[in-house]
Amino acid sequence: MGDVGSVDVELEVMTALRDFLGDGVVVRDELDNSLLEELPTVQVQVSGGDDDGYRLDRPFVDIDVYHSTRADAIALAATIRGWVLTQLRGSATETAVFGWTSTISRPAIRPYENTGLRRVGATYEIYCHPVS
């Protein structure tokens, strides 16, 4: 059995999102300097959370969408929200089991200094634990 926090939630969510969204969307944890050339891009980052001190991890995960237009960014963020709340919830990989998922902050426009793109972000709580 793995320790609390032994699930690399960023990696697991990025891998699953890549499968869900397909080759037309870049999914990563850190932004690249050539972001304008890689739109749409989805950034996944753990931003805090909680655990039970034993096995269950409850990280907060920020998912930011960068796209060429506001409407496209909003639409992609809504698609990802639906995936987090329906398909990620109750799923499992070789190393992680995902239980309850919920929205902490629904998709909304977030400021970004580059006026050549738009950013929409949301924060989710994802209950997970290592596969035993």
Side-chain angles (χ1 to χ4, degrees), residues 1-129:
M1 174 174 56
D3 295 329
V4 157
S6 64
V7 172
D8 186 341
V9 176
E10 283 181 5
L11 179 61
E12 294 286 344
V13 170
M14 284 188 301
T15 301
L17 263 177
R18 285 182 189 123
D19 290 342
F20 174 68
L21 295 172
D23 293 334
V25 179
V26 176
V27 180
R28 60 181 354 140
D29 53 358
E30 293 185 10
L31 297 179
D32 193 275
N33 288 335
S34 59
L35 184 59
L36 279 173
E37 299 166 17
E38 297 183 332
L39 297 178
T41 291
V42 175
Q43 182 182 30
V44 178
Q45 294 184 303
V46 171
S47 60
D50 197 348
D51 61 64
D52 68 356
Y54 173 64
R55 187 162 191 250
L56 182 65
D57 204 8
R58 298 182 298 261
F60 299 156
V61 179
D62 282 336
I63 300 180
D64 288 321
V65 171
Y66 298 85
H67 215 308
S68 53
T69 69
R70 179 183 176 111
D72 288 339
I74 290 169
L76 182 54
T79 298
I80 292 169
R81 182 179 186 208
W83 173 81
V84 168
L85 297 177
T86 61
Q87 295 181 45
L88 182 62
R89 179 185 292 169
S91 68
T93 68
E94 290 183 16
T95 58
V97 175
F98 295 96
W100 185 253
T101 59
S102 63
T103 304
I104 292 174
S105 176
R106 63 181 291 132
I109 298 296
R110 291 183 177 173
Y112 196 71
E113 55 275 356
N114 187 331
T115 58
L117 56 86
R118 297 296 176 261
R119 175 183 175 205
V120 172
T123 304
Y124 304 95
E125 184 174 28
I126 300 173
Y127 284 51
C128 61
H129 62 80

